[in-house]
């Protein structure tokens, strides 16, 4: 009976260690989770390098070679003032969402309408680092997103 108990205890201990290691290993006080404080975003689920908020802010205002437009030309200052109601607000959006969306535009997986085709053209030349930087920047901005569940 004690041998079975030892196996069970060891299994539970191994599972507990695995669960704790999956939760990160660093506490917030060690710098994890404070992207805005350090100027860098947390690791992306999109498989991208860490993004730089400052580099993303500069890139958002830089005219793209493909269309001659910058992110702010359509999405407005800090991504919170789109020029058209059909253009999304980017400020305050989850960085991973922006990263995944930009990758899909760049890779031709998100297309088929005038707006998505425009974004595909705009994103085509972006590197993984630039996508990570833009995602970090827009994810760090105070958002003006609204919950649409009560809009109708």
């Amino acid at each position: 009976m004690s041998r079975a108990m030892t196996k069970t205890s060891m299994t539970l201990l191994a599972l507990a260690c695995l669960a704790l290691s999956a939760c990160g290993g660093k506490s917030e006080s060690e710098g994890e989770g404070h992207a805005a404080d350090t100027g860098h975003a947390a690791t992306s689920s999109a498989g991208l390098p860490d993004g730089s908020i400052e580099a993303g802010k500069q890139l958002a205002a830089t005219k793209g070679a493909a269309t001659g437009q910058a992110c702010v030309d359509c999405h407005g200052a800090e991504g919170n003032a789109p020029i058209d109601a059909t253009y999304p607000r980017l400020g305050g959006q989850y960085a991973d969402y922006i990263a995944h969306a930009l990758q899909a535009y760049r890779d031709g997986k998100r297309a088929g309408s005038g707006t998505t085709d425009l974004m595909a053209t705009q994103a085509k030349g972006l590197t993984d680092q630039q996508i990570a930087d833009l995602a970090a920047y827009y994810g760090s901005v105070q958002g003006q997103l609204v919950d649409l569940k009560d809009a109708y």
Side-chain angles (χ1 to χ4, degrees), residues 11-12 14 38 40 42 58 60 73 89 99 102-103 107 110 122 131 133 135 138-139:
T11 302
L12 290 174
T38 64
H40 293 283
Q58 290 175 5
D73 291 341
R89 293 177 187 266
L102 286 173
Q103 284 178 314
D107 299 340
R110 194 169 181 178
Q122 189 73 357
I131 289 174
D133 293 343
Y138 284 117

PDB file of all heavy atoms in Angstrom, residues 11-12 14 38 40 42 58 60 73 89 99 102-103 107 110 122 131 133 135 138-139:
ATOM      1  N   THR A  11       3.349  11.093  -8.683  1.00  0.00           N
ATOM      2  CA  THR A  11       2.622  11.524  -9.872  1.00  0.00           C
ATOM      3  C   THR A  11       1.973  12.878  -9.636  1.00  0.00           C
ATOM      4  O   THR A  11       2.052  13.776 -10.478  1.00  0.00           O
ATOM      5  CB  THR A  11       1.555  10.482 -10.260  1.00  0.00           C
ATOM      6  OG1 THR A  11       2.199   9.234 -10.490  1.00  0.00           O
ATOM      7  CG2 THR A  11       0.797  10.902 -11.501  1.00  0.00           C
ATOM      8  N   LEU A  12       1.335  13.043  -8.485  1.00  0.00           N
ATOM      9  CA  LEU A  12       0.705  14.325  -8.157  1.00  0.00           C
ATOM     10  C   LEU A  12       1.733  15.440  -8.047  1.00  0.00           C
ATOM     11  O   LEU A  12       1.507  16.560  -8.509  1.00  0.00           O
ATOM     12  CB  LEU A  12      -0.102  14.205  -6.865  1.00  0.00           C
ATOM     13  CG  LEU A  12      -1.369  13.358  -6.960  1.00  0.00           C
ATOM     14  CD1 LEU A  12      -1.995  13.196  -5.586  1.00  0.00           C
ATOM     15  CD2 LEU A  12      -2.359  13.980  -7.925  1.00  0.00           C
ATOM     16  N   ALA A  14       4.632  15.565  -9.597  1.00  0.00           N
ATOM     17  CA  ALA A  14       5.101  15.865 -10.950  1.00  0.00           C
ATOM     18  C   ALA A  14       4.084  16.723 -11.700  1.00  0.00           C
ATOM     19  O   ALA A  14       4.445  17.673 -12.399  1.00  0.00           O
ATOM     20  CB  ALA A  14       5.375  14.571 -11.710  1.00  0.00           C
ATOM     21  N   THR A  38       8.131  48.356 -19.673  1.00  0.00           N
ATOM     22  CA  THR A  38       9.442  48.064 -20.224  1.00  0.00           C
ATOM     23  C   THR A  38       9.586  48.479 -21.675  1.00  0.00           C
ATOM     24  O   THR A  38      10.682  48.488 -22.203  1.00  0.00           O
ATOM     25  CB  THR A  38       9.730  46.552 -20.143  1.00  0.00           C
ATOM     26  OG1 THR A  38       8.786  45.866 -20.961  1.00  0.00           O
ATOM     27  CG2 THR A  38       9.678  46.045 -18.728  1.00  0.00           C
ATOM     28  N   HIS A  40       8.334  46.713 -24.059  1.00  0.00           N
ATOM     29  CA  HIS A  40       8.280  45.489 -24.839  1.00  0.00           C
ATOM     30  C   HIS A  40       7.021  44.709 -24.489  1.00  0.00           C
ATOM     31  O   HIS A  40       6.587  44.698 -23.351  1.00  0.00           O
ATOM     32  CB  HIS A  40       9.499  44.605 -24.560  1.00  0.00           C
ATOM     33  CG  HIS A  40      10.766  45.213 -25.057  1.00  0.00           C
ATOM     34  ND1 HIS A  40      11.123  45.213 -26.376  1.00  0.00           N
ATOM     35  CD2 HIS A  40      11.746  45.884 -24.406  1.00  0.00           C
ATOM     36  CE1 HIS A  40      12.279  45.843 -26.519  1.00  0.00           C
ATOM     37  NE2 HIS A  40      12.672  46.262 -25.341  1.00  0.00           N
ATOM     38  N   ALA A  42       4.789  41.176 -24.133  1.00  0.00           N
ATOM     39  CA  ALA A  42       5.036  39.812 -23.717  1.00  0.00           C
ATOM     40  C   ALA A  42       5.129  38.932 -24.962  1.00  0.00           C
ATOM     41  O   ALA A  42       4.739  39.320 -26.050  1.00  0.00           O
ATOM     42  CB  ALA A  42       3.905  39.331 -22.807  1.00  0.00           C
ATOM     43  N   GLN A  58       6.272  54.370 -33.960  1.00  0.00           N
ATOM     44  CA  GLN A  58       6.909  55.024 -35.105  1.00  0.00           C
ATOM     45  C   GLN A  58       6.445  54.397 -36.417  1.00  0.00           C
ATOM     46  O   GLN A  58       6.157  55.098 -37.386  1.00  0.00           O
ATOM     47  CB  GLN A  58       8.426  54.940 -34.979  1.00  0.00           C
ATOM     48  CG  GLN A  58       8.974  55.792 -33.865  1.00  0.00           C
ATOM     49  CD  GLN A  58      10.474  55.605 -33.662  1.00  0.00           C
ATOM     50  OE1 GLN A  58      11.141  54.901 -34.416  1.00  0.00           O
ATOM     51  NE2 GLN A  58      11.008  56.222 -32.623  1.00  0.00           N
ATOM     52  N   ALA A  60       3.621  52.884 -37.021  1.00  0.00           N
ATOM     53  CA  ALA A  60       2.213  53.207 -37.267  1.00  0.00           C
ATOM     54  C   ALA A  60       2.052  54.553 -37.976  1.00  0.00           C
ATOM     55  O   ALA A  60       1.071  54.773 -38.676  1.00  0.00           O
ATOM     56  CB  ALA A  60       1.431  53.219 -35.952  1.00  0.00           C
ATOM     57  N   ASP A  73      -3.351  56.882 -40.951  1.00  0.00           N
ATOM     58  CA  ASP A  73      -4.135  57.533 -41.999  1.00  0.00           C
ATOM     59  C   ASP A  73      -5.557  56.984 -42.055  1.00  0.00           C
ATOM     60  O   ASP A  73      -6.498  57.717 -42.382  1.00  0.00           O
ATOM     61  CB  ASP A  73      -3.471  57.369 -43.368  1.00  0.00           C
ATOM     62  CG  ASP A  73      -2.185  58.162 -43.492  1.00  0.00           C
ATOM     63  OD1 ASP A  73      -1.961  59.106 -42.698  1.00  0.00           O
ATOM     64  OD2 ASP A  73      -1.389  57.831 -44.392  1.00  0.00           O
ATOM     65  N   ARG A  89     -11.216  49.989 -34.658  1.00  0.00           N
ATOM     66  CA  ARG A  89     -10.357  50.692 -33.706  1.00  0.00           C
ATOM     67  C   ARG A  89      -9.285  49.700 -33.272  1.00  0.00           C
ATOM     68  O   ARG A  89      -9.600  48.592 -32.866  1.00  0.00           O
ATOM     69  CB  ARG A  89     -11.155  51.154 -32.489  1.00  0.00           C
ATOM     70  CG  ARG A  89     -12.165  52.226 -32.809  1.00  0.00           C
ATOM     71  CD  ARG A  89     -12.967  52.596 -31.563  1.00  0.00           C
ATOM     72  NE  ARG A  89     -14.035  53.499 -31.909  1.00  0.00           N
ATOM     73  CZ  ARG A  89     -13.944  54.827 -31.835  1.00  0.00           C
ATOM     74  NH1 ARG A  89     -12.837  55.373 -31.419  1.00  0.00           N
ATOM     75  NH2 ARG A  89     -14.953  55.585 -32.180  1.00  0.00           N
ATOM     76  N   ALA A  99      -1.575  40.882 -34.030  1.00  0.00           N
ATOM     77  CA  ALA A  99      -0.492  40.117 -34.656  1.00  0.00           C
ATOM     78  C   ALA A  99      -1.046  39.035 -35.582  1.00  0.00           C
ATOM     79  O   ALA A  99      -0.601  38.899 -36.726  1.00  0.00           O
ATOM     80  CB  ALA A  99       0.401  39.499 -33.581  1.00  0.00           C
ATOM     81  N   LEU A 102      -2.626  40.721 -38.720  1.00  0.00           N
ATOM     82  CA  LEU A 102      -1.626  41.227 -39.663  1.00  0.00           C
ATOM     83  C   LEU A 102      -0.912  40.091 -40.387  1.00  0.00           C
ATOM     84  O   LEU A 102      -0.618  40.194 -41.582  1.00  0.00           O
ATOM     85  CB  LEU A 102      -0.621  42.137 -38.947  1.00  0.00           C
ATOM     86  CG  LEU A 102      -1.148  43.520 -38.571  1.00  0.00           C
ATOM     87  CD1 LEU A 102      -0.127  44.263 -37.716  1.00  0.00           C
ATOM     88  CD2 LEU A 102      -1.514  44.323 -39.807  1.00  0.00           C
ATOM     89  N   GLN A 103      -0.636  39.004 -39.677  1.00  0.00           N
ATOM     90  CA  GLN A 103      -0.027  37.846 -40.336  1.00  0.00           C
ATOM     91  C   GLN A 103      -0.968  37.282 -41.404  1.00  0.00           C
ATOM     92  O   GLN A 103      -0.525  36.926 -42.500  1.00  0.00           O
ATOM     93  CB  GLN A 103       0.302  36.753 -39.318  1.00  0.00           C
ATOM     94  CG  GLN A 103       1.522  37.052 -38.480  1.00  0.00           C
ATOM     95  CD  GLN A 103       1.768  35.969 -37.454  1.00  0.00           C
ATOM     96  OE1 GLN A 103       0.857  35.525 -36.761  1.00  0.00           O
ATOM     97  NE2 GLN A 103       3.008  35.542 -37.350  1.00  0.00           N
ATOM     98  N   ASP A 107      -0.060  37.130 -45.292  1.00  0.00           N
ATOM     99  CA  ASP A 107       0.078  35.814 -45.914  1.00  0.00           C
ATOM    100  C   ASP A 107      -1.057  35.479 -46.881  1.00  0.00           C
ATOM    101  O   ASP A 107      -1.121  34.372 -47.409  1.00  0.00           O
ATOM    102  CB  ASP A 107       0.174  34.738 -44.826  1.00  0.00           C
ATOM    103  CG  ASP A 107       1.390  34.943 -43.916  1.00  0.00           C
ATOM    104  OD1 ASP A 107       2.335  35.653 -44.318  1.00  0.00           O
ATOM    105  OD2 ASP A 107       1.375  34.401 -42.793  1.00  0.00           O
ATOM    106  N   ARG A 110      -6.424  36.349 -45.318  1.00  0.00           N
ATOM    107  CA  ARG A 110      -7.550  37.210 -44.953  1.00  0.00           C
ATOM    108  C   ARG A 110      -7.726  38.220 -46.075  1.00  0.00           C
ATOM    109  O   ARG A 110      -6.999  39.206 -46.146  1.00  0.00           O
ATOM    110  CB  ARG A 110      -7.257  37.892 -43.615  1.00  0.00           C
ATOM    111  CG  ARG A 110      -8.443  38.531 -42.976  1.00  0.00           C
ATOM    112  CD  ARG A 110      -8.097  38.941 -41.558  1.00  0.00           C
ATOM    113  NE  ARG A 110      -9.238  39.540 -40.918  1.00  0.00           N
ATOM    114  CZ  ARG A 110      -9.246  39.958 -39.679  1.00  0.00           C
ATOM    115  NH1 ARG A 110      -8.170  39.847 -38.934  1.00  0.00           N
ATOM    116  NH2 ARG A 110     -10.315  40.491 -39.152  1.00  0.00           N
ATOM    117  N   GLN A 122      -1.266  46.427 -47.782  1.00  0.00           N
ATOM    118  CA  GLN A 122      -0.508  47.210 -46.801  1.00  0.00           C
ATOM    119  C   GLN A 122       0.411  46.310 -45.967  1.00  0.00           C
ATOM    120  O   GLN A 122       1.537  46.674 -45.657  1.00  0.00           O
ATOM    121  CB  GLN A 122      -1.481  47.971 -45.885  1.00  0.00           C
ATOM    122  CG  GLN A 122      -0.854  48.968 -44.972  1.00  0.00           C
ATOM    123  CD  GLN A 122      -0.370  50.225 -45.679  1.00  0.00           C
ATOM    124  OE1 GLN A 122      -0.447  50.376 -46.885  1.00  0.00           O
ATOM    125  NE2 GLN A 122       0.177  51.138 -44.909  1.00  0.00           N
ATOM    126  N   ILE A 131       5.426  43.383 -37.405  1.00  0.00           N
ATOM    127  CA  ILE A 131       4.102  42.974 -36.930  1.00  0.00           C
ATOM    128  C   ILE A 131       4.093  42.930 -35.409  1.00  0.00           C
ATOM    129  O   ILE A 131       3.168  43.427 -34.767  1.00  0.00           O
ATOM    130  CB  ILE A 131       3.685  41.617 -37.542  1.00  0.00           C
ATOM    131  CG1 ILE A 131       3.366  41.803 -39.034  1.00  0.00           C
ATOM    132  CG2 ILE A 131       2.501  41.018 -36.801  1.00  0.00           C
ATOM    133  CD1 ILE A 131       3.072  40.517 -39.780  1.00  0.00           C
ATOM    134  N   ASP A 133       5.980  44.633 -33.396  1.00  0.00           N
ATOM    135  CA  ASP A 133       6.071  46.008 -32.899  1.00  0.00           C
ATOM    136  C   ASP A 133       4.716  46.718 -32.979  1.00  0.00           C
ATOM    137  O   ASP A 133       4.300  47.377 -32.018  1.00  0.00           O
ATOM    138  CB  ASP A 133       7.115  46.798 -33.686  1.00  0.00           C
ATOM    139  CG  ASP A 133       8.541  46.292 -33.467  1.00  0.00           C
ATOM    140  OD1 ASP A 133       8.788  45.555 -32.496  1.00  0.00           O
ATOM    141  OD2 ASP A 133       9.414  46.640 -34.296  1.00  0.00           O
ATOM    142  N   ALA A 135       1.761  45.320 -33.047  1.00  0.00           N
ATOM    143  CA  ALA A 135       0.868  44.667 -32.078  1.00  0.00           C
ATOM    144  C   ALA A 135       1.167  45.143 -30.663  1.00  0.00           C
ATOM    145  O   ALA A 135       0.247  45.408 -29.879  1.00  0.00           O
ATOM    146  CB  ALA A 135       1.006  43.154 -32.191  1.00  0.00           C
ATOM    147  N   TYR A 138      -0.195  48.966 -30.425  1.00  0.00           N
ATOM    148  CA  TYR A 138      -1.647  49.103 -30.331  1.00  0.00           C
ATOM    149  C   TYR A 138      -2.207  48.397 -29.100  1.00  0.00           C
ATOM    150  O   TYR A 138      -3.188  48.853 -28.526  1.00  0.00           O
ATOM    151  CB  TYR A 138      -2.329  48.632 -31.615  1.00  0.00           C
ATOM    152  CG  TYR A 138      -2.199  49.639 -32.722  1.00  0.00           C
ATOM    153  CD1 TYR A 138      -1.520  49.339 -33.891  1.00  0.00           C
ATOM    154  CD2 TYR A 138      -2.730  50.918 -32.592  1.00  0.00           C
ATOM    155  CE1 TYR A 138      -1.391  50.282 -34.906  1.00  0.00           C
ATOM    156  CE2 TYR A 138      -2.596  51.865 -33.594  1.00  0.00           C
ATOM    157  CZ  TYR A 138      -1.928  51.541 -34.744  1.00  0.00           C
ATOM    158  OH  TYR A 138      -1.799  52.480 -35.743  1.00  0.00           O
ATOM    159  N   GLY A 139      -1.560  47.338 -28.672  1.00  0.00           N
ATOM    160  CA  GLY A 139      -1.995  46.657 -27.448  1.00  0.00           C
ATOM    161  C   GLY A 139      -1.717  47.471 -26.190  1.00  0.00           C
ATOM    162  O   GLY A 139      -2.352  47.273 -25.160  1.00  0.00           O
TER     163      GLY A 139
END
